[in-house]
């Protein structure tokens, strides 16, 4: 009887830990615009991307591209994000043409369970 109670108690503990808010749920992004000009690692950046999992700052793969219309033609430009002096904060510098209308597509954790932020420029 005692091994069964121990097994049930262990199962209940594991289920509680696995379902706790610290582990459940998707990642999320926050966009800071304009970037902080007083931090040398972000000076000159167009915007900053903060990455989180629940309330905790976390590092994760992030991709960015600019989608735009220039003279009636659709354009897509892959962008590079740079690490900054802070964990979970990436800097995006302007890498798309000044002419045209643009939307930035920033995706954290590309693939299933990803999160995307759209920023109009």
């Amino acid at each position: 009887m005692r091994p069964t109670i121990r097994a049930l108690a262990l199962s209940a503990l594991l289920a509680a830990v696995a379902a706790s808010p610290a582990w459940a749920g998707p990642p999320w992004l926050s966009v800071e615009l304009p970037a902080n000009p007083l931090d040398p690692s972000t000076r000159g950046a167009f915007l900053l991307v903060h990455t989180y999992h629940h309330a905790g700052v976390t590092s994760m793969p992030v991709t960015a591209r600019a989608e735009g219309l220039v003279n009636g033609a659709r354009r897509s430009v892959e962008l590079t994000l740079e690490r900054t002096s802070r964990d979970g904060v990436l800097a995006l510098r302007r890498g798309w043409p000044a002419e045209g209308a643009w939307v930035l597509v920033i995706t954290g954790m590309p693939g299933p369970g990803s999160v995307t932020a759209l920023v109009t420029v």
Side-chain angles (χ1 to χ4, degrees):
M1 177 98 163
R2 277 186 109 46
T4 304
I5 293 172
R6 284 188 189 146
L8 287 173
L10 182 59
S11 296
L13 177 64
L14 290 175
V17 169
S20 70
W23 297 99
W28 59 281
L29 303 174
S30 173
V31 175
E32 181 180 344
L33 179 73
N36 180 358
L38 303 178
D39 181 346
S41 68
T42 64
R43 189 173 296 134
F46 182 76
L47 59 77
L48 302 179
V49 177
H50 299 260
T51 58
Y52 301 92
H53 187 261
H54 284 274
V57 171
T58 187
S59 294
M60 69 176 76
V62 179
T63 61
R65 71 181 188 278
E67 296 289 340
L69 279 175
V70 179
N71 296 324
R74 183 172 176 189
R75 300 255 328 259
S76 184
V77 178
E78 294 296 321
L79 303 172
T80 302
L81 293 152
E82 302 169 1
R83 292 188 187 273
T84 67
S85 61
R86 293 182 287 162
D87 288 339
V89 180
L90 301 166
L92 178 67
R93 301 190 187 281
R94 187 174 184 106
W96 58 93
E99 64 275 351
W102 295 90
V103 173
L104 305 179
V105 181
I106 303 166
T107 304
M109 296 297 291
S114 66
V115 59
T116 300
L118 300 175
V119 179
T120 58
V121 180

